[in-house]
Amino acid sequence: GNSVTQMEGPVTLSEEAFLTINCTYTATGYPSLFWYVQYPGEGLQLLLKATKADDKGSNKGFEATYRKETTSFHLEKGSVQVSDSAVYFCALSGNTNAGKSTFGDGTTLTVKP
Amino acid sequence: EAQVTQNPRYLITVTGKKLTVTCSQNMNHEYMSWYRQDPGLGLRQIYYSMNVEVTDKGDVPEGYKVSRKEKRNFPLILESPSPNQTSLYFCASSFDGVYYEQYFGPGTRLTVT
């Protein structure tokens, strides 16, 4: 079956530091890839997505590129802010088993002033 | 406002007492899904529905039932809850469950004693 592996957390950074959260996946066919963010006490919300190889998703300074050759979708941001503190989830939706979604375990990011 | 609503938000119950968690979306989405979130395990899919009257098992369906009689509603039923179903539950909806992102409800925190 499909699987998503995220880099283990938690991650603690100082404000303005560079962020990378690694995400690799295993899936048949050509899945769509997503990053979701969860703030304390809330549901998940979409951060960015990519639906085919070499696509780059971007939003609010975050970026991730769909790399089929390395089955990866790493999340990056050049300069984090305290307000970026949250839990980040990498996820995939497969087109060969439409409807099934697989999420990573989540990475908790804390940004200190 | 486009949203997914869940009720109740918090529930404490006893083993074996049937309960239903409601989920409703106002975005005319075809796809709906239920997840549970447990520490260190990320989000795991319980059931999903690609359309009215069409439901399928996710990764952890044991002990749960769902129905999709109307497009906007997707209730989660626990007919005989057990303590291992204590968790945080999220309902989500999407245009198609593959290429489009999911919109999540605020979550239902369930405790089974």
Side-chain angles (χ1 to χ4, degrees):
Chain A
N2 297 339
S3 67
V4 174
T5 302
Q6 276 183 245
M7 94 188 246
E8 294 187 14
V11 175
T12 301
L13 296 172
S14 298
E15 207 164 22
E16 299 184 2
F18 184 85
L19 168 71
T20 299
I21 301 178
N22 290 337
C23 171
T24 57
Y25 68 89
T26 302
T28 54
Y30 301 93
S32 297
L33 301 174
F34 305 85
W35 277 101
Y36 289 91
V37 59
Q38 183 181 33
Y39 298 103
E42 299 183 9
L44 282 70
Q45 54 187 274
L46 178 73
L47 182 59
L48 53 84
K49 71 176 186 181
T51 57
K52 62 182 188 295
D54 300 325
D55 268 1
K56 177 187 280 189
S58 60
N59 185 27
K60 300 181 182 179
F62 291 89
E63 293 183 341
T65 301
Y66 187 159
R67 301 283 189 203
K68 189 157 181 65
E69 64 276 13
T70 55
T71 61
S72 64
F73 193 54
H74 305 322
L75 182 68
E76 296 182 337
K77 186 175 185 182
S79 176
V80 295
Q81 306 299 313
V82 172
S83 56
D84 293 327
S85 298
V87 182
Y88 293 81
F89 291 92
C90 185
L92 71 81
S93 297
N95 62 350
T96 56
N97 199 352
K100 291 205 78 171
S101 290
T102 303
F103 285 73
D105 291 346
T107 300
T108 301
L109 170 66
T110 302
V111 180
K112 297 190 172 180
Chain B
E1 179 190 355
Q3 60 182 350
V4 177
T5 56
Q6 295 178 229
N7 282 293
R9 294 289 311 279
Y10 301 91
L11 179 60
I12 301 174
T13 190
V14 296
T15 299
K17 185 176 182 182
K18 181 179 178 179
L19 66 92
T20 299
V21 183
T22 64
C23 173
S24 183
Q25 51 94 3
N26 64 0
M27 295 168 277
N28 201 35
H29 284 166
E30 301 287 339
Y31 175 90
M32 298 185 75
S33 182
W34 276 103
Y35 299 89
R36 59 179 289 173
Q37 182 178 18
D38 301 290
L41 295 176
L43 265 72
R44 292 179 292 168
Q45 192 174 38
I46 303 171
Y47 270 96
Y48 62 95
S49 170
M50 298 295 285
N51 210 330
V52 175
E53 302 292 0
V54 179
T55 62
D56 268 305
K57 296 177 180 179
D59 293 321
V60 288
E62 294 79 18
Y64 304 94
K65 284 179 58 177
V66 293
S67 67
R68 187 94 181 273
K69 294 183 169 52
E70 305 167 280
K71 197 173 192 178
R72 63 183 292 124
N73 296 323
F74 191 44
L76 179 69
I77 302 159
L78 285 71
E79 296 216 324
S80 184
S82 62
N84 65 12
Q85 293 179 297
T86 292
S87 187
L88 179 59
Y89 291 87
F90 288 101
C91 180
S93 72
S94 168
F95 280 112
D96 69 356
V98 179
Y99 301 107
Y100 290 88
E101 65 270 26
Q102 296 182 57
Y103 292 77
F104 284 81
T108 295
R109 186 164 292 282
L110 172 65
T111 301
V112 183
T113 61

